[in-house]
Amino acid sequence: MKINKIVGYQVLDSRGKPTVAAAISLTDGTTHTARIPSGASTGAHEAKELRDSGSKFEEKYYGGLSVQQAVENINKKIAPKLVEEQIDLNLVDSQLIELDPSEDHHLLGANATLAVSIAAAYADAHSQNKSLARSFNPEGQLLIPMPMVNILSGGAHANRTMDIQDVLIIPVGAKSFSQALSWIVAVREMAAKLGKEAGHVTNLVADEGGLAIAFTSIEKACEFVVSAIEKVGLKVGSEVCLALDVAATQFFDGKNYNLSTVGKSYSQSEFVEYINNLVSNQPIISIEDPFAEDDWNSWQTFTELAPKKLQVLGDDLLTTNLLRLNKAISEKSANAILIKANQNGLVTSTLNVLKQARANNFNTVVSARSGENEDSWLADLATGWNAGQIKVGSTHGSERNAKWNRLLEFEATESTKFTNPFN
Ligand code: PGA
Ligand code: ZN
């Protein structure tokens, strides 16, 4: 089957910001569309999305965030190269690399390359009569990933109501994905109720749907979520555990970690000690970005020091980048990687990063971004790639639930197994 037409266009994401969509039509008359997410606490080493600020494409009312350059790159550069070629994801990605050989895809824009790459993955899968998940894992059971879900959010996603970005839960004792989701919803509702009873403002919802309740310390935020888990009758530790996304780059000034809601500053070595005490005193089984994106020393010291079972998860540190992952593997700076396709820019090279991580015993967590949309390809990738874990935000917002609902669809309609990497 051949590619007949490729059209890029601008759409809106869950924050009301422009993002890129790409539609690939095939010679059989079918059309396959992908829309691309976008971050807010973006790592400096991510692939570069093109935004129109300062360019001739800048639109009056989008504050420089329109994506018409990326759209034009799809329509004027990518489409002429790919139309009439066979639909094959590997071929499409290698042609995108020929057009833009830069490491960070800044020539075409990673938002242009990823939109075409995901649309091609869909088109390729459907031309073989397969779902996107099944195109990567055609035989046997589909492995549904363990969810990691925001309950409280602060940082860049909620006007800095807390210094850290998220307190999340992982339903490690759930026997199925649908049970896991029911526990998560119950804890989320209980947290909202308890927050209201304690006089917090709980109708403020963060970008990923978490409750934006202000807490004066990380410990108090953790204890609050623990009390919500207990109040719904679930066991902390054996059934539901905590995870944090510290997003520490956001409050590191190059020398010190500044927890402004607590009113305390920590040197790098003091912050390693602080985080180590925190994970020892709270039921935390996963900690994401506890240190800044280039503070490799703190990462290495902490990973050496931390309990062996703790998941030390690199997001801004690793940015789904093979070179940074390889450095972390050789220096033992982390033991898990967040996989975000738009940090990388292509489906096939994102998968290569995931494979390299797994080959070196790193856990892998396929993740959405804070700016999302109604697409559910993330759930297909996480499942088809046997990632083991998925992070999408909360259970509020259809852009989040599109992914959870896709996993429920797999559970209902396919032969599946619910994965538990924390067993
Ligand atoms: P982002 O946040 O999409 O704003 O980068 C998500 C995360 O940090 O995991
Ligand atoms: Zn993160």
Side-chain angles (χ1 to χ4, degrees), residues 15 38-43 46 150 156-157 165-166 207-208 245 247 250 288-289 315-316 338 340 342-343 367-371 391 400:
R15 282 193 278 243
S38 182
S41 66
T42 320
E46 296 190 17
N150 301 25
H157 296 166
Q165 194 164 287
D166 307 290
D207 286 352
E208 296 182 332
D245 183 358
Q250 300 280 325
E288 178 178 336
D289 285 351
D315 173 13
D316 291 348
L338 210 70
K340 291 171 165 171
N342 84 320
Q343 287 180 329
S367 172
R369 300 305 304 251
S370 48
K391 183 182 158 203
R400 313 285 148 196

mmCIF file of all heavy atoms in Angstrom, residues 15 38-43 46 150 156-157 165-166 207-208 245 247 250 288-289 315-316 338 340 342-343 367-371 391 400, ligand 1:
data_model
loop_
_atom_site.group_PDB
_atom_site.id
_atom_site.type_symbol
_atom_site.label_atom_id
_atom_site.label_comp_id
_atom_site.label_asym_id
_atom_site.label_seq_id
_atom_site.Cartn_x
_atom_site.Cartn_y
_atom_site.Cartn_z
ATOM 1 N N ARG A 15 -4.638 22.398 26.953
ATOM 2 C CA ARG A 15 -4.449 23.700 27.607
ATOM 3 C C ARG A 15 -4.911 24.849 26.718
ATOM 4 O O ARG A 15 -4.687 26.013 27.026
ATOM 5 C CB ARG A 15 -2.966 23.903 27.938
ATOM 6 C CG ARG A 15 -2.499 23.153 29.161
ATOM 7 C CD ARG A 15 -1.132 23.647 29.605
ATOM 8 N NE ARG A 15 -0.080 23.039 28.846
ATOM 9 C CZ ARG A 15 0.859 22.243 29.357
ATOM 10 N NH1 ARG A 15 0.869 21.977 30.647
ATOM 11 N NH2 ARG A 15 1.796 21.719 28.600
ATOM 12 N N SER A 38 2.419 18.217 24.216
ATOM 13 C CA SER A 38 3.470 19.200 24.484
ATOM 14 C C SER A 38 3.655 19.384 25.996
ATOM 15 O O SER A 38 2.681 19.329 26.750
ATOM 16 C CB SER A 38 3.059 20.529 23.840
ATOM 17 O OG SER A 38 4.076 21.472 24.035
ATOM 18 N N GLY A 39 4.896 19.579 26.426
ATOM 19 C CA GLY A 39 5.181 19.719 27.855
ATOM 20 C C GLY A 39 5.144 21.159 28.334
ATOM 21 O O GLY A 39 5.057 22.104 27.548
ATOM 22 N N ALA A 40 5.185 21.326 29.678
ATOM 23 C CA ALA A 40 5.344 22.659 30.290
ATOM 24 C C ALA A 40 6.638 22.684 31.094
ATOM 25 O O ALA A 40 7.400 23.640 31.030
ATOM 26 C CB ALA A 40 4.170 22.980 31.196
ATOM 27 N N SER A 41 6.893 21.602 31.859
ATOM 28 C CA SER A 41 8.181 21.524 32.557
ATOM 29 C C SER A 41 9.128 20.756 31.638
ATOM 30 O O SER A 41 9.542 19.640 31.900
ATOM 31 C CB SER A 41 8.028 20.868 33.924
ATOM 32 O OG SER A 41 7.664 19.522 33.826
ATOM 33 N N THR A 42 9.443 21.416 30.536
ATOM 34 C CA THR A 42 10.180 20.775 29.446
ATOM 35 C C THR A 42 11.673 20.715 29.768
ATOM 36 O O THR A 42 12.251 21.696 30.220
ATOM 37 C CB THR A 42 9.989 21.630 28.176
ATOM 38 O OG1 THR A 42 8.648 22.071 28.147
ATOM 39 C CG2 THR A 42 10.253 20.843 26.929
ATOM 40 N N GLY A 43 12.297 19.564 29.501
ATOM 41 C CA GLY A 43 13.732 19.436 29.734
ATOM 42 C C GLY A 43 14.537 20.156 28.661
ATOM 43 O O GLY A 43 14.130 20.205 27.498
ATOM 44 N N GLU A 46 15.457 18.062 25.434
ATOM 45 C CA GLU A 46 14.425 17.442 24.595
ATOM 46 C C GLU A 46 14.604 17.823 23.128
ATOM 47 O O GLU A 46 15.190 18.871 22.824
ATOM 48 C CB GLU A 46 13.027 17.933 25.023
ATOM 49 C CG GLU A 46 12.635 17.530 26.421
ATOM 50 C CD GLU A 46 11.164 17.805 26.727
ATOM 51 O OE1 GLU A 46 10.374 18.012 25.797
ATOM 52 O OE2 GLU A 46 10.816 17.790 27.916
ATOM 53 N N ASN A 150 -1.534 10.839 38.988
ATOM 54 C CA ASN A 150 -1.474 12.055 39.812
ATOM 55 C C ASN A 150 -2.672 12.157 40.750
ATOM 56 O O ASN A 150 -3.817 12.036 40.294
ATOM 57 C CB ASN A 150 -1.574 13.315 38.947
ATOM 58 C CG ASN A 150 -0.492 13.436 37.910
ATOM 59 O OD1 ASN A 150 0.073 12.437 37.490
ATOM 60 N ND2 ASN A 150 -0.193 14.646 37.505
ATOM 61 N N ALA A 156 5.066 23.568 37.919
ATOM 62 C CA ALA A 156 4.719 24.314 36.703
ATOM 63 C C ALA A 156 3.302 24.012 36.220
ATOM 64 O O ALA A 156 2.773 24.708 35.359
ATOM 65 C CB ALA A 156 5.718 23.984 35.600
ATOM 66 N N HIS A 157 2.671 22.963 36.766
ATOM 67 C CA HIS A 157 1.343 22.572 36.286
ATOM 68 C C HIS A 157 0.221 23.183 37.117
ATOM 69 O O HIS A 157 -0.948 22.980 36.823
ATOM 70 C CB HIS A 157 1.188 21.050 36.302
ATOM 71 C CG HIS A 157 2.123 20.372 35.357
ATOM 72 N ND1 HIS A 157 2.366 19.021 35.388
ATOM 73 C CD2 HIS A 157 2.887 20.870 34.353
ATOM 74 C CE1 HIS A 157 3.240 18.711 34.441
ATOM 75 N NE2 HIS A 157 3.574 19.814 33.809
ATOM 76 N N GLN A 165 6.241 18.680 41.596
ATOM 77 C CA GLN A 165 5.209 18.690 40.559
ATOM 78 C C GLN A 165 4.022 17.794 40.882
ATOM 79 O O GLN A 165 2.888 18.196 40.681
ATOM 80 C CB GLN A 165 5.846 18.304 39.228
ATOM 81 C CG GLN A 165 5.004 18.587 38.017
ATOM 82 C CD GLN A 165 5.845 18.542 36.757
ATOM 83 O OE1 GLN A 165 6.630 19.435 36.486
ATOM 84 N NE2 GLN A 165 5.726 17.474 36.009
ATOM 85 N N ASP A 166 4.290 16.565 41.344
ATOM 86 C CA ASP A 166 3.167 15.648 41.566
ATOM 87 C C ASP A 166 3.410 14.679 42.719
ATOM 88 O O ASP A 166 4.524 14.183 42.891
ATOM 89 C CB ASP A 166 2.925 14.755 40.330
ATOM 90 C CG ASP A 166 2.757 15.520 39.042
ATOM 91 O OD1 ASP A 166 1.721 16.189 38.887
ATOM 92 O OD2 ASP A 166 3.676 15.458 38.210
ATOM 93 N N ASP A 207 -2.931 21.055 35.386
ATOM 94 C CA ASP A 207 -2.950 20.772 33.948
ATOM 95 C C ASP A 207 -3.232 19.304 33.619
ATOM 96 O O ASP A 207 -3.804 19.001 32.585
ATOM 97 C CB ASP A 207 -1.606 21.144 33.320
ATOM 98 C CG ASP A 207 -1.450 22.654 33.196
ATOM 99 O OD1 ASP A 207 -2.429 23.370 33.460
ATOM 100 O OD2 ASP A 207 -0.349 23.104 32.835
ATOM 101 N N GLU A 208 -2.766 18.394 34.480
ATOM 102 C CA GLU A 208 -2.972 16.976 34.194
ATOM 103 C C GLU A 208 -4.134 16.396 34.992
ATOM 104 O O GLU A 208 -4.264 15.181 35.126
ATOM 105 C CB GLU A 208 -1.688 16.197 34.484
ATOM 106 C CG GLU A 208 -0.546 16.618 33.563
ATOM 107 C CD GLU A 208 0.741 15.842 33.782
ATOM 108 O OE1 GLU A 208 0.983 15.363 34.904
ATOM 109 O OE2 GLU A 208 1.506 15.728 32.816
ATOM 110 N N ASP A 245 6.804 12.946 41.397
ATOM 111 C CA ASP A 245 7.573 13.610 40.339
ATOM 112 C C ASP A 245 8.026 14.939 40.942
ATOM 113 O O ASP A 245 7.229 15.865 41.087
ATOM 114 C CB ASP A 245 6.729 13.825 39.076
ATOM 115 C CG ASP A 245 7.560 14.451 37.949
ATOM 116 O OD1 ASP A 245 8.762 14.740 38.188
ATOM 117 O OD2 ASP A 245 7.026 14.660 36.845
ATOM 118 N N ALA A 247 10.386 16.983 39.760
ATOM 119 C CA ALA A 247 10.675 18.000 38.728
ATOM 120 C C ALA A 247 11.633 19.064 39.278
ATOM 121 O O ALA A 247 11.380 20.266 39.189
ATOM 122 C CB ALA A 247 9.382 18.616 38.181
ATOM 123 N N GLN A 250 13.099 22.597 38.125
ATOM 124 C CA GLN A 250 12.273 23.804 38.254
ATOM 125 C C GLN A 250 12.639 24.671 39.457
ATOM 126 O O GLN A 250 12.312 25.844 39.484
ATOM 127 C CB GLN A 250 10.795 23.402 38.350
ATOM 128 C CG GLN A 250 10.277 22.640 37.146
ATOM 129 C CD GLN A 250 9.925 23.551 35.990
ATOM 130 O OE1 GLN A 250 9.460 24.651 36.183
ATOM 131 N NE2 GLN A 250 10.159 23.088 34.776
ATOM 132 N N GLU A 288 10.703 10.463 40.606
ATOM 133 C CA GLU A 288 11.076 10.986 39.285
ATOM 134 C C GLU A 288 11.750 12.349 39.442
ATOM 135 O O GLU A 288 11.297 13.172 40.244
ATOM 136 C CB GLU A 288 9.793 11.106 38.446
ATOM 137 C CG GLU A 288 9.986 11.671 37.049
ATOM 138 C CD GLU A 288 8.648 11.702 36.292
ATOM 139 O OE1 GLU A 288 7.729 10.925 36.624
ATOM 140 O OE2 GLU A 288 8.525 12.527 35.368
ATOM 141 N N ASP A 289 12.791 12.569 38.675
ATOM 142 C CA ASP A 289 13.526 13.841 38.672
ATOM 143 C C ASP A 289 13.724 14.434 40.074
ATOM 144 O O ASP A 289 13.390 15.606 40.317
ATOM 145 C CB ASP A 289 12.826 14.860 37.756
ATOM 146 C CG ASP A 289 13.054 14.564 36.275
ATOM 147 O OD1 ASP A 289 13.886 13.678 35.954
ATOM 148 O OD2 ASP A 289 12.412 15.208 35.426
ATOM 149 N N ASP A 315 13.382 11.738 33.905
ATOM 150 C CA ASP A 315 12.542 12.361 32.867
ATOM 151 C C ASP A 315 13.375 13.476 32.224
ATOM 152 O O ASP A 315 14.019 13.276 31.188
ATOM 153 C CB ASP A 315 11.248 12.872 33.504
ATOM 154 C CG ASP A 315 10.385 13.687 32.555
ATOM 155 O OD1 ASP A 315 10.635 13.673 31.348
ATOM 156 O OD2 ASP A 315 9.425 14.358 33.023
ATOM 157 N N ASP A 316 13.441 14.652 32.872
ATOM 158 C CA ASP A 316 14.268 15.747 32.334
ATOM 159 C C ASP A 316 15.744 15.335 32.240
ATOM 160 O O ASP A 316 16.481 15.847 31.401
ATOM 161 C CB ASP A 316 14.166 16.989 33.229
ATOM 162 C CG ASP A 316 12.779 17.628 33.170
ATOM 163 O OD1 ASP A 316 11.994 17.244 32.290
ATOM 164 O OD2 ASP A 316 12.488 18.491 34.007
ATOM 165 N N LEU A 338 11.642 7.568 31.924
ATOM 166 C CA LEU A 338 10.349 7.978 31.401
ATOM 167 C C LEU A 338 10.493 8.054 29.876
ATOM 168 O O LEU A 338 11.469 8.614 29.384
ATOM 169 C CB LEU A 338 9.975 9.349 31.969
ATOM 170 C CG LEU A 338 8.492 9.592 32.125
ATOM 171 C CD1 LEU A 338 7.936 8.728 33.260
ATOM 172 C CD2 LEU A 338 8.175 11.046 32.433
ATOM 173 N N LYS A 340 8.944 9.513 26.579
ATOM 174 C CA LYS A 340 8.003 10.467 25.986
ATOM 175 C C LYS A 340 8.395 10.636 24.516
ATOM 176 O O LYS A 340 9.487 11.154 24.224
ATOM 177 C CB LYS A 340 8.101 11.816 26.692
ATOM 178 C CG LYS A 340 7.586 11.833 28.136
ATOM 179 C CD LYS A 340 7.931 13.152 28.806
ATOM 180 C CE LYS A 340 7.148 13.385 30.090
ATOM 181 N NZ LYS A 340 7.658 14.559 30.839
ATOM 182 N N ASN A 342 7.560 12.656 22.273
ATOM 183 C CA ASN A 342 7.850 13.991 21.723
ATOM 184 C C ASN A 342 9.125 14.599 22.291
ATOM 185 O O ASN A 342 9.573 15.628 21.826
ATOM 186 C CB ASN A 342 6.654 14.936 21.887
ATOM 187 C CG ASN A 342 6.604 15.597 23.239
ATOM 188 O OD1 ASN A 342 6.896 14.951 24.244
ATOM 189 N ND2 ASN A 342 6.236 16.868 23.267
ATOM 190 N N GLN A 343 9.732 13.942 23.296
ATOM 191 C CA GLN A 343 11.078 14.366 23.704
ATOM 192 C C GLN A 343 12.092 13.879 22.678
ATOM 193 O O GLN A 343 13.212 14.363 22.613
ATOM 194 C CB GLN A 343 11.461 13.752 25.059
ATOM 195 C CG GLN A 343 10.744 14.358 26.242
ATOM 196 C CD GLN A 343 11.177 13.711 27.551
ATOM 197 O OE1 GLN A 343 11.517 12.532 27.585
ATOM 198 N NE2 GLN A 343 11.148 14.471 28.617
ATOM 199 N N SER A 367 5.001 7.784 28.939
ATOM 200 C CA SER A 367 4.328 8.915 29.572
ATOM 201 C C SER A 367 3.709 9.902 28.589
ATOM 202 O O SER A 367 4.280 10.203 27.541
ATOM 203 C CB SER A 367 5.328 9.664 30.456
ATOM 204 O OG SER A 367 4.771 10.868 30.949
ATOM 205 N N ALA A 368 2.551 10.428 29.006
ATOM 206 C CA ALA A 368 1.906 11.547 28.312
ATOM 207 C C ALA A 368 2.623 12.839 28.677
ATOM 208 O O ALA A 368 3.594 12.840 29.437
ATOM 209 C CB ALA A 368 0.445 11.625 28.731
ATOM 210 N N ARG A 369 2.138 13.974 28.163
ATOM 211 C CA ARG A 369 2.663 15.295 28.536
ATOM 212 C C ARG A 369 1.555 16.083 29.235
ATOM 213 O O ARG A 369 0.389 15.691 29.205
ATOM 214 C CB ARG A 369 3.123 16.073 27.282
ATOM 215 C CG ARG A 369 4.200 15.425 26.465
ATOM 216 C CD ARG A 369 5.447 15.071 27.231
ATOM 217 N NE ARG A 369 6.103 16.141 27.957
ATOM 218 C CZ ARG A 369 7.275 16.697 27.640
ATOM 219 N NH1 ARG A 369 7.904 16.299 26.549
ATOM 220 N NH2 ARG A 369 7.821 17.632 28.408
ATOM 221 N N SER A 370 1.928 17.221 29.786
ATOM 222 C CA SER A 370 0.911 18.029 30.459
ATOM 223 C C SER A 370 -0.077 18.646 29.458
ATOM 224 O O SER A 370 -1.240 18.842 29.772
ATOM 225 C CB SER A 370 1.557 19.091 31.335
ATOM 226 O OG SER A 370 2.564 19.778 30.632
ATOM 227 N N GLY A 371 0.380 18.945 28.246
ATOM 228 C CA GLY A 371 -0.524 19.388 27.183
ATOM 229 C C GLY A 371 -0.857 18.180 26.322
ATOM 230 O O GLY A 371 0.008 17.672 25.610
ATOM 231 N N LYS A 391 2.134 6.475 32.489
ATOM 232 C CA LYS A 391 1.815 7.671 33.278
ATOM 233 C C LYS A 391 1.095 8.649 32.356
ATOM 234 O O LYS A 391 1.629 9.010 31.304
ATOM 235 C CB LYS A 391 3.130 8.256 33.785
ATOM 236 C CG LYS A 391 3.000 9.462 34.671
ATOM 237 C CD LYS A 391 4.384 9.976 35.057
ATOM 238 C CE LYS A 391 4.297 11.413 35.460
ATOM 239 N NZ LYS A 391 5.542 12.143 35.352
ATOM 240 N N ARG A 400 -6.989 12.691 29.233
ATOM 241 C CA ARG A 400 -6.349 11.664 30.075
ATOM 242 C C ARG A 400 -7.115 10.347 29.930
ATOM 243 O O ARG A 400 -6.552 9.290 29.717
ATOM 244 C CB ARG A 400 -6.367 12.084 31.556
ATOM 245 C CG ARG A 400 -5.910 13.517 31.813
ATOM 246 C CD ARG A 400 -4.421 13.699 31.709
ATOM 247 N NE ARG A 400 -4.120 15.044 31.204
ATOM 248 C CZ ARG A 400 -2.945 15.404 30.725
ATOM 249 N NH1 ARG A 400 -1.944 14.558 30.653
ATOM 250 N NH2 ARG A 400 -2.757 16.614 30.264
HETATM 251 P P1 PGA B 1 5.464 18.035 31.221
HETATM 252 O O1 PGA B 1 5.258 17.288 32.604
HETATM 253 O O2 PGA B 1 4.704 17.323 30.184
HETATM 254 O O3 PGA B 1 4.978 19.422 31.504
HETATM 255 O O4 PGA B 1 6.951 17.997 30.961
HETATM 256 C C1 PGA B 1 5.151 15.902 32.726
HETATM 257 C C2 PGA B 1 6.278 15.361 33.560
HETATM 258 O O5 PGA B 1 7.139 16.119 34.031
HETATM 259 O O6 PGA B 1 6.364 14.142 33.729
#
